[in-house]
Coordinates of all heavy atoms in Angstrom, one line a residue:
Chain B
G123 N -41.5 -0.5 39.7 CA -42.3 0.5 39.0 C -42.8 0.2 37.6 O -43.0 0.9 36.7
G124 N -42.7 -1.2 37.2 CA -43.2 -1.7 36.1 C -42.1 -1.5 35.0 O -42.4 -1.6 33.7
E125 N -40.9 -1.2 35.4 CA -39.7 -0.9 34.5 C -39.4 -2.2 33.7 O -39.4 -3.3 34.3 CB -38.5 -0.5 35.1 CG -37.6 0.2 34.2 CD -36.5 1.0 35.0 OE1 -35.6 0.4 35.4 OE2 -36.7 2.2 35.3
V126 N -39.2 -2.2 32.3 CA -38.8 -3.4 31.6 C -37.3 -3.7 32.0 O -36.5 -2.8 31.8 CB -39.1 -3.1 30.1 CG1 -38.6 -4.3 29.3 CG2 -40.6 -2.8 29.8
T127 N -37.1 -4.9 32.2 CA -35.7 -5.3 32.4 C -35.2 -6.2 31.4 O -35.9 -6.6 30.4 CB -35.7 -6.3 33.8 OG1 -36.4 -7.6 33.4 CG2 -36.3 -5.6 34.9
R128 N -33.8 -6.5 31.4 CA -33.3 -7.3 30.4 C -33.9 -8.7 30.2 O -34.1 -9.2 29.3 CB -31.7 -7.4 30.7 CG -31.0 -6.2 30.5 CD -29.5 -6.6 30.9 NE -28.9 -7.3 29.9 CZ -28.3 -6.7 28.7 NH1 -28.4 -5.6 28.6 NH2 -27.8 -7.6 27.8
A129 N -34.3 -9.2 31.4 CA -34.8 -10.5 31.4 C -36.2 -10.5 30.7 O -36.5 -11.5 30.1 CB -35.0 -11.0 32.9
D130 N -37.0 -9.4 30.9 CA -38.2 -9.4 30.3 C -38.1 -9.4 28.8 O -38.7 -10.0 28.1 CB -39.0 -8.0 30.6 CG -39.4 -7.9 32.1 OD1 -39.5 -9.0 32.7 OD2 -39.5 -6.8 32.7
V131 N -37.1 -8.6 28.3 CA -36.8 -8.5 26.8 C -36.4 -9.9 26.3 O -36.9 -10.4 25.3 CB -35.8 -7.4 26.6 CG1 -35.4 -7.5 25.0 CG2 -36.3 -6.1 26.9
E132 N -35.5 -10.5 27.1 CA -35.0 -11.7 26.6 C -36.1 -12.8 26.5 O -36.3 -13.6 25.7 CB -33.9 -12.3 27.5 CG -32.5 -11.6 27.1 CD -31.5 -11.8 28.2 OE1 -31.7 -12.5 29.1 OE2 -30.4 -11.2 27.9
R133 N -37.1 -12.8 27.6 CA -38.1 -13.6 27.7 C -39.1 -13.4 26.5 O -39.4 -14.4 25.7 CB -38.8 -13.5 28.9 CG -39.5 -14.7 29.5 CD -40.2 -14.5 30.8 NE -39.2 -14.0 31.9 CZ -39.4 -12.9 32.5 NH1 -40.3 -12.1 32.4 NH2 -38.5 -12.6 33.5
A134 N -39.2 -12.2 26.1 CA -40.2 -11.8 25.1 C -39.6 -12.3 23.7 O -40.2 -12.9 22.9 CB -40.4 -10.3 25.0
A135 N -38.3 -12.2 23.6 CA -37.5 -12.5 22.4 C -37.7 -14.1 22.2 O -37.9 -14.6 21.1 CB -36.1 -12.1 22.5
A136 N -37.5 -14.8 23.4 CA -37.6 -16.3 23.3 C -39.0 -16.6 23.0 O -39.2 -17.7 22.2 CB -37.2 -16.8 24.6
A137 N -40.0 -16.0 23.6 CA -41.4 -16.4 23.3 C -41.7 -16.3 21.8 O -42.4 -17.1 21.2 CB -42.3 -15.5 24.2
S138 N -41.3 -15.2 21.2 CA -41.6 -15.0 19.8 C -40.8 -15.9 19.0 O -41.1 -16.0 17.7 CB -41.5 -13.4 19.5 OG -40.2 -13.0 19.8
G139 N -39.7 -16.4 19.5 CA -38.9 -17.4 18.8 C -38.4 -17.0 17.5 O -38.0 -15.8 17.3
T140 N -38.5 -17.8 16.5 CA -38.0 -17.5 15.2 C -38.7 -16.3 14.6 O -38.2 -15.6 13.9 CB -37.9 -18.7 14.3 OG1 -39.3 -19.2 14.4 CG2 -36.9 -19.7 14.7
S141 N -40.1 -16.2 15.0 CA -40.8 -15.2 14.2 C -40.2 -13.8 14.6 O -40.3 -12.9 13.7 CB -42.3 -15.3 14.6 OG -42.4 -15.0 16.1
A142 N -39.7 -13.7 15.7 CA -39.2 -12.3 16.1 C -38.0 -11.9 15.2 O -37.9 -10.9 14.8 CB -38.8 -12.4 17.6
R143 N -37.2 -13.0 14.9 CA -36.1 -12.7 14.0 C -36.5 -12.7 12.6 O -35.9 -11.8 11.9 CB -35.0 -13.9 14.2 CG -34.3 -13.8 15.5 CD -33.0 -14.6 15.4 NE -32.2 -14.3 16.7 CZ -31.4 -13.3 16.7 NH1 -31.2 -12.5 15.7 NH2 -30.7 -13.1 17.8
A144 N -37.5 -13.4 12.2 CA -37.9 -13.5 10.9 C -38.7 -12.2 10.5 O -38.6 -11.8 9.4 CB -38.8 -14.7 10.6
A145 N -39.4 -11.7 11.5 CA -40.2 -10.5 11.1 C -39.5 -9.4 10.5 O -40.0 -8.9 9.3 CB -40.8 -10.0 12.5
P146 N -38.4 -8.8 11.0 CA -37.8 -7.7 10.4 C -37.4 -8.1 8.9 O -37.4 -7.3 8.0 CB -36.7 -7.2 11.2 CG -36.6 -8.3 12.2 CD -37.8 -9.2 12.3
A147 N -37.0 -9.3 8.8 CA -36.4 -9.7 7.6 C -37.5 -9.7 6.4 O -37.4 -9.4 5.3 CB -35.9 -11.1 7.6
A148 N -38.7 -10.2 6.9 CA -39.8 -10.3 6.1 C -40.3 -8.8 5.7 O -40.7 -8.6 4.6 CB -41.0 -11.1 6.6
E149 N -40.1 -7.9 6.6 CA -40.5 -6.6 6.4 C -39.9 -5.9 5.2 O -40.5 -5.3 4.3 CB -40.2 -5.8 7.5 CG -41.4 -5.0 8.2 CD -40.9 -4.4 9.5 OE1 -40.1 -3.6 9.5 OE2 -41.6 -4.8 10.6
S150 N -38.5 -6.1 5.2 CA -37.9 -5.5 3.9 C -36.6 -6.5 3.7 O -36.3 -7.3 4.6 CB -37.5 -4.0 4.2 OG -36.5 -4.1 5.1
D151 N -35.9 -6.1 2.7 CA -34.7 -6.9 2.5 C -33.5 -6.4 3.3 O -32.4 -7.0 3.3 CB -34.3 -6.9 1.1 CG -35.2 -7.8 0.2 OD1 -35.8 -8.7 0.8 OD2 -35.3 -7.6 -1.0
V152 N -33.6 -5.3 3.9 CA -32.5 -4.7 4.5 C -31.6 -5.5 5.5 O -30.4 -5.6 5.1 CB -32.9 -3.3 5.1 CG1 -31.7 -2.6 5.7 CG2 -33.6 -2.4 4.2
P153 N -32.2 -6.1 6.4 CA -31.3 -6.9 7.3 C -30.7 -8.1 6.6 O -29.4 -8.2 6.9 CB -32.4 -7.5 8.4 CG -33.5 -6.5 8.3 CD -33.6 -6.2 6.9
V154 N -31.4 -8.7 5.6 CA -30.7 -9.7 5.0 C -29.5 -9.2 4.1 O -28.4 -9.7 4.2 CB -31.7 -10.4 4.0 CG1 -31.0 -11.5 3.1 CG2 -32.8 -10.9 4.7
E155 N -29.8 -8.1 3.6 CA -28.6 -7.5 2.7 C -27.6 -7.1 3.6 O -26.4 -7.3 3.3 CB -29.1 -6.3 1.9 CG -29.8 -6.8 0.6 CD -30.1 -5.5 -0.2 OE1 -29.3 -4.5 -0.2 OE2 -31.1 -5.6 -1.0
S156 N -27.9 -6.6 4.7 CA -26.8 -6.1 5.6 C -25.9 -7.1 6.0 O -24.7 -7.0 6.2 CB -27.3 -5.1 6.6 OG -27.9 -6.0 7.6
A157 N -26.5 -8.3 6.3 CA -25.8 -9.4 6.8 C -24.8 -9.9 5.7 O -23.6 -10.0 5.9 CB -26.7 -10.6 7.1
A158 N -25.3 -9.9 4.5 CA -24.5 -10.4 3.4 C -23.5 -9.3 3.0 O -22.5 -9.6 2.3 CB -25.4 -10.7 2.2
H159 N -23.7 -8.2 3.3 CA -22.9 -7.0 3.0 C -21.5 -7.1 3.7 O -20.5 -6.4 3.1 CB -23.6 -5.7 3.2 CG -23.0 -4.5 2.3 ND1 -22.0 -3.9 2.8 CD2 -23.2 -4.1 1.2 CE1 -21.7 -2.8 1.9 NE2 -22.5 -3.2 0.9
R160 N -21.4 -7.8 4.7 CA -20.1 -7.8 5.3 C -19.1 -8.7 4.8 O -19.1 -9.8 5.0 CB -20.3 -8.1 6.9 CG -20.2 -6.9 7.8 CD -20.6 -7.3 9.2 NE -22.0 -6.8 9.5 CZ -23.0 -7.6 9.8 NH1 -22.8 -9.0 9.9 NH2 -24.1 -7.2 10.0
V161 N -18.5 -8.1 3.7 CA -17.5 -8.8 2.9 C -16.1 -8.8 3.5 O -15.7 -7.8 4.0 CB -17.4 -8.3 1.5 CG1 -16.5 -9.0 0.6 CG2 -18.7 -8.1 0.8
R162 N -15.5 -10.0 3.7 CA -14.2 -10.0 4.2 C -13.2 -9.6 3.1 O -13.3 -10.1 2.0 CB -13.8 -11.5 4.5 CG -14.0 -11.9 5.9 CD -13.6 -13.3 6.1 NE -12.2 -13.4 6.3 CZ -11.7 -13.4 7.5 NH1 -12.4 -13.3 8.6 NH2 -10.4 -13.5 7.7
S163 N -12.5 -8.6 3.4 CA -11.5 -8.0 2.2 C -10.5 -7.4 2.9 O -10.5 -6.8 4.1 CB -12.3 -7.1 1.3 OG -12.4 -5.9 2.0
S164 N -9.4 -7.2 2.2 CA -8.3 -6.5 2.7 C -8.6 -5.0 2.5 O -9.4 -4.6 1.8 CB -6.9 -6.8 1.9 OG -7.0 -6.1 0.7
P165 N -8.1 -4.1 3.4 CA -8.3 -2.7 3.2 C -7.9 -2.2 1.8 O -8.7 -1.4 1.3 CB -7.5 -2.1 4.2 CG -7.1 -3.1 5.3 CD -7.1 -4.3 4.5
L166 N -6.9 -2.7 1.3 CA -6.4 -2.3 0.0 C -7.5 -2.6 -1.1 O -7.8 -1.9 -2.0 CB -5.1 -2.9 -0.4 CG -4.6 -2.5 -1.8 CD1 -4.3 -1.2 -2.0 CD2 -3.3 -3.4 -2.0
A167 N -8.1 -3.9 -0.9 CA -9.0 -4.3 -1.9 C -10.2 -3.4 -1.8 O -10.9 -3.1 -2.8 CB -9.4 -5.8 -1.6
R168 N -10.6 -3.1 -0.6 CA -11.8 -2.2 -0.3 C -11.6 -0.8 -1.0 O -12.4 -0.3 -1.7 CB -11.9 -2.0 1.2 CG -13.4 -1.8 1.6 CD -13.4 -2.2 3.1 NE -13.9 -3.4 3.4 CZ -15.1 -3.9 3.5 NH1 -16.0 -2.9 3.3 NH2 -15.4 -5.2 3.7
R169 N -10.3 -0.3 -0.9 CA -10.1 0.9 -1.5 C -10.1 0.9 -2.9 O -10.8 1.8 -3.6 CB -8.7 1.5 -1.0 CG -8.5 2.9 -1.4 CD -7.0 3.3 -1.1 NE -6.2 2.8 -2.1 CZ -4.9 2.8 -2.1 NH1 -4.2 3.3 -1.0 NH2 -4.1 2.3 -3.0
L170 N -9.4 -0.1 -3.4 CA -9.4 -0.2 -5.0 C -10.9 -0.5 -5.5 O -11.2 0.2 -6.6 CB -8.6 -1.5 -5.4 CG -7.1 -1.3 -5.4 CD1 -6.4 -2.6 -5.7 CD2 -6.8 -0.2 -6.4
A171 N -11.6 -1.3 -4.8 CA -12.9 -1.6 -5.3 C -13.8 -0.3 -5.4 O -14.5 0.0 -6.3 CB -13.6 -2.6 -4.5
A172 N -13.5 0.5 -4.3 CA -14.3 1.8 -4.3 C -13.8 2.7 -5.5 O -14.7 3.4 -6.1 CB -14.2 2.5 -3.0
E173 N -12.6 2.7 -5.6 CA -12.0 3.6 -6.7 C -12.3 3.2 -8.1 O -12.7 4.0 -9.0 CB -10.5 3.6 -6.6 CG -9.9 4.5 -5.5 CD -8.4 4.3 -5.5 OE1 -7.7 3.6 -6.3 OE2 -7.8 4.9 -4.5
L174 N -12.5 1.8 -8.3 CA -12.7 1.3 -9.5 C -14.2 1.1 -9.8 O -14.6 0.6 -10.9 CB -11.9 0.0 -9.8 CG -10.4 0.2 -9.8 CD1 -9.7 -1.2 -9.8 CD2 -10.0 1.0 -10.9
G175 N -15.0 1.3 -8.7 CA -16.4 1.1 -8.9 C -16.8 -0.4 -9.0 O -17.7 -0.7 -9.7
V176 N -16.1 -1.3 -8.3 CA -16.4 -2.6 -8.4 C -17.1 -3.0 -7.1 O -16.9 -2.4 -6.1 CB -15.1 -3.5 -8.5 CG1 -15.4 -4.9 -8.5 CG2 -14.2 -3.0 -9.7
D177 N -18.2 -3.8 -7.3 CA -18.8 -4.4 -6.1 C -18.1 -5.5 -5.4 O -18.0 -6.5 -6.0 CB -20.2 -4.9 -6.7 CG -21.1 -5.3 -5.4 OD1 -20.6 -5.1 -4.3 OD2 -22.2 -5.8 -5.7
L178 N -17.7 -5.2 -4.2 CA -16.9 -6.2 -3.4 C -17.6 -7.5 -3.4 O -17.0 -8.6 -3.2 CB -16.5 -5.7 -2.2 CG -15.2 -5.0 -1.9 CD1 -14.9 -4.7 -0.5 CD2 -14.0 -5.8 -2.4
Q179 N -18.9 -7.4 -3.3 CA -19.8 -8.5 -2.9 C -19.8 -9.5 -3.9 O -20.0 -10.7 -3.8 CB -21.2 -8.1 -2.6 CG -21.7 -8.6 -1.2 CD -22.9 -7.9 -0.9 OE1 -23.0 -6.6 -0.9 NE2 -24.0 -8.6 -0.5
A180 N -19.4 -9.0 -5.3 CA -19.6 -9.8 -6.4 C -18.2 -10.6 -6.6 O -18.2 -11.4 -7.5 CB -19.9 -9.0 -7.6
I181 N -17.3 -10.4 -5.7 CA -16.0 -11.0 -5.9 C -15.7 -12.2 -5.0 O -16.0 -12.0 -3.8 CB -14.8 -9.9 -5.8 CG1 -15.1 -8.8 -6.8 CG2 -13.5 -10.6 -6.0 CD1 -14.2 -7.6 -6.6
A182 N -15.2 -13.2 -5.4 CA -14.9 -14.3 -4.7 C -13.4 -14.1 -4.1 O -12.5 -13.9 -4.9 CB -14.9 -15.7 -5.4
G183 N -13.3 -14.1 -2.8 CA -12.0 -13.9 -2.2 C -11.0 -15.1 -2.3 O -11.5 -16.2 -2.1
T184 N -9.8 -14.8 -2.4 CA -8.8 -15.9 -2.4 C -7.8 -15.7 -1.3 O -6.9 -16.6 -1.1 CB -8.1 -15.9 -3.8 OG1 -7.3 -14.9 -3.9 CG2 -8.9 -16.2 -4.9
G185 N -8.0 -14.6 -0.5 CA -7.1 -14.4 0.6 C -7.3 -15.3 1.8 O -8.2 -16.1 1.8
P186 N -6.5 -14.8 2.9 CA -6.7 -15.6 4.1 C -8.2 -15.5 4.6 O -8.9 -14.6 4.5 CB -5.9 -14.8 5.2 CG -5.0 -13.9 4.4 CD -5.7 -13.7 3.1
G187 N -8.8 -16.7 4.9 CA -10.2 -16.8 5.3 C -11.2 -16.4 4.2 O -12.3 -15.9 4.5
G188 N -10.8 -16.4 2.9 CA -11.6 -16.1 1.7 C -11.7 -14.6 1.7 O -12.7 -14.1 1.0
A189 N -10.9 -13.9 2.2 CA -10.9 -12.3 2.1 C -10.6 -12.0 0.6 O -9.7 -12.7 0.0 CB -9.9 -11.7 3.0
V190 N -11.2 -11.0 0.2 CA -11.0 -10.5 -1.1 C -9.7 -9.7 -1.0 O -9.6 -8.8 -0.2 CB -12.1 -9.5 -1.6 CG1 -11.8 -8.8 -3.0 CG2 -13.4 -10.2 -1.6
T191 N -8.7 -9.9 -2.0 CA -7.4 -9.2 -2.0 C -7.3 -8.3 -3.2 O -8.2 -8.3 -4.0 CB -6.2 -10.3 -2.0 OG1 -6.4 -10.9 -3.3 CG2 -6.3 -11.2 -1.0
E192 N -6.3 -7.6 -3.3 CA -6.1 -6.7 -4.3 C -6.2 -7.3 -5.6 O -6.8 -6.9 -6.6 CB -4.6 -6.0 -4.2 CG -4.2 -5.1 -5.3 CD -2.7 -4.8 -5.3 OE1 -2.0 -5.6 -4.7 OE2 -2.2 -3.9 -6.0
E193 N -5.5 -8.6 -5.7 CA -5.5 -9.4 -6.9 C -6.9 -9.7 -7.3 O -7.2 -9.7 -8.6 CB -4.7 -10.6 -6.7 CG -3.9 -11.1 -7.8 CD -2.9 -12.2 -7.4 OE1 -3.4 -13.2 -7.0 OE2 -1.7 -12.0 -7.5
D194 N -7.7 -10.1 -6.4 CA -9.1 -10.5 -6.7 C -9.8 -9.3 -7.4 O -10.6 -9.4 -8.4 CB -9.8 -10.9 -5.5 CG -9.2 -12.1 -4.8 OD1 -8.5 -12.9 -5.6 OD2 -9.2 -12.3 -3.6

Side-chain angles (χ1 to χ4, degrees):
Chain B
E125 200 168 87
V126 177
T127 64
R128 292 181 71 84
D130 296 334
V131 172
E132 279 163 4
R133 214 175 300 122
S138 53
T140 48
S141 65
R143 288 199 169 269
E149 236 171 60
S150 75
D151 283 339
V152 177
V154 176
E155 275 185 32
S156 74
H159 199 268
R160 257 170 257 120
V161 182
R162 271 179 80 93
S163 78
S164 80
L166 176 64
R168 210 161 262 274
R169 189 189 78 192
L170 275 178
E173 281 174 6
L174 300 171
V176 179
D177 182 5
L178 266 186
Q179 233 169 309
I181 302 173
T184 62
V190 177
T191 64
E192 176 195 20
E193 213 169 66
D194 300 332

